[in-house]
Amino acid sequence: MASPLSANGFLDALRDEGLTVVEVGDWRHHNRNHKGPWGPVHGVMIHHTVTSGSAKTVRICRDGHPGLPGPLCHGVITKDGRVHLVGYGRANHAGKGDDDVLRAVISEKALPHDNEANRDGNRYFYGFECENLGDGEDPWPEVQLEAIEKAAAAVCRRHGWTARSVIGHKEWQPGKVDPRGFSMNTLRARIAERLK
């Protein structure tokens, strides 16, 4: 079981991996901790935003919307490869997912098919929202894919996790399709290479 990194430790991990980090407001204290605990943490979850325009995307991920209050993640990775920190602590990003998937992440084994939603993922995962329309046609610039790779690797490196601790929202919760437009297996292979 891993305790979450401190906010400063999280920031340092991202910067040490070579990322350009933008701190948005008082991100260190912007969270949903009043709704339940954050931690122990077991992995990193990758999402796409279904938005376009970096400023709008960051604002939505920080503030949320009427049906889902923010923060909607810890970091927003925009198309230019920058990581915008919008929250730290419990965030509304993972929702309920499959406890069999969680067990596989914890043991760093191959993921089973997600077929139920019976475990609160907001407690257990760091979340990165990645700016993309999610229609399978909106491009993923290489600078953004590299930033996703680096951000996930940064957290894994600090916790001593392998790339198997990185999952897509679509691998956690039945019916989700994000991230769409690249393969999670390919992303994990890139992360594994970076962690060598």
Side-chain angles (χ1 to χ4, degrees):
M1 296 191 352
S3 296
L5 299 171
S6 69
N8 286 339
F10 181 57
L11 175 62
D12 289 345
L14 296 172
R15 287 182 170 158
D16 288 351
E17 206 66 39
L19 288 158
T20 300
V21 181
V22 179
E23 300 181 69
V24 181
D26 187 15
W27 66 272
R28 288 174 175 83
H29 301 102
H30 186 51
N31 57 55
R32 303 284 296 157
N33 289 355
H34 65 284
K35 291 294 185 179
W38 188 47
V41 288
H42 299 298
V44 178
M45 191 172 293
I46 306 299
H47 307 261
H48 66 230
T49 59
V50 195
T51 60
S52 63
S54 296
K56 173 185 170 186
T57 296
V58 170
R59 185 177 65 254
I60 290 170
C61 289
R62 184 189 187 286
D63 299 338
H65 48 80
L68 192 66
L72 304 184
C73 59
H74 300 102
V76 183
I77 302 175
T78 49
K79 288 202 179 264
D80 60 6
R82 294 185 298 164
V83 180
H84 304 256
L85 298 183
V86 297
Y88 205 72
R90 186 181 178 91
N92 272 335
H93 73 98
K96 290 199 175 202
D98 194 319
D99 62 349
D100 293 328
V101 173
L102 181 62
R103 280 190 285 276
V105 170
I106 292 169
S107 60
E108 297 193 315
K109 294 185 177 173
L111 298 177
H113 177 68
D114 57 323
N115 61 4
E116 56 189 346
N118 59 359
R119 186 60 70 95
D120 170 22
N122 293 333
R123 177 177 184 174
Y124 299 112
F125 289 95
Y126 294 89
F128 289 98
E129 285 280 358
C130 307
E131 179 189 354
N132 191 276
L133 291 174
D135 58 5
E137 296 179 12
D138 190 15
W140 290 93
E142 179 55 32
V143 68
Q144 186 182 27
L145 290 173
E146 185 177 2
I148 297 167
E149 169 196 328
K150 286 180 175 180
V155 175
C156 289
R157 194 181 305 282
R158 286 295 173 106
H159 282 291
W161 297 335
T162 72
R164 286 193 180 267
S165 292
V166 181
I167 66 172
H169 198 195
K170 62 186 173 187
E171 296 172 308
W172 168 248
Q173 189 178 87
K176 295 296 182 180
V177 299
D178 58 315
R180 190 171 178 199
F182 64 86
S183 159
M184 284 303 301
N185 286 333
T186 300
L187 177 64
R188 280 188 284 268
R190 290 176 60 150
I191 294 165
E193 187 63 28
R194 175 169 289 277
L195 289 172
K196 283 184 181 175

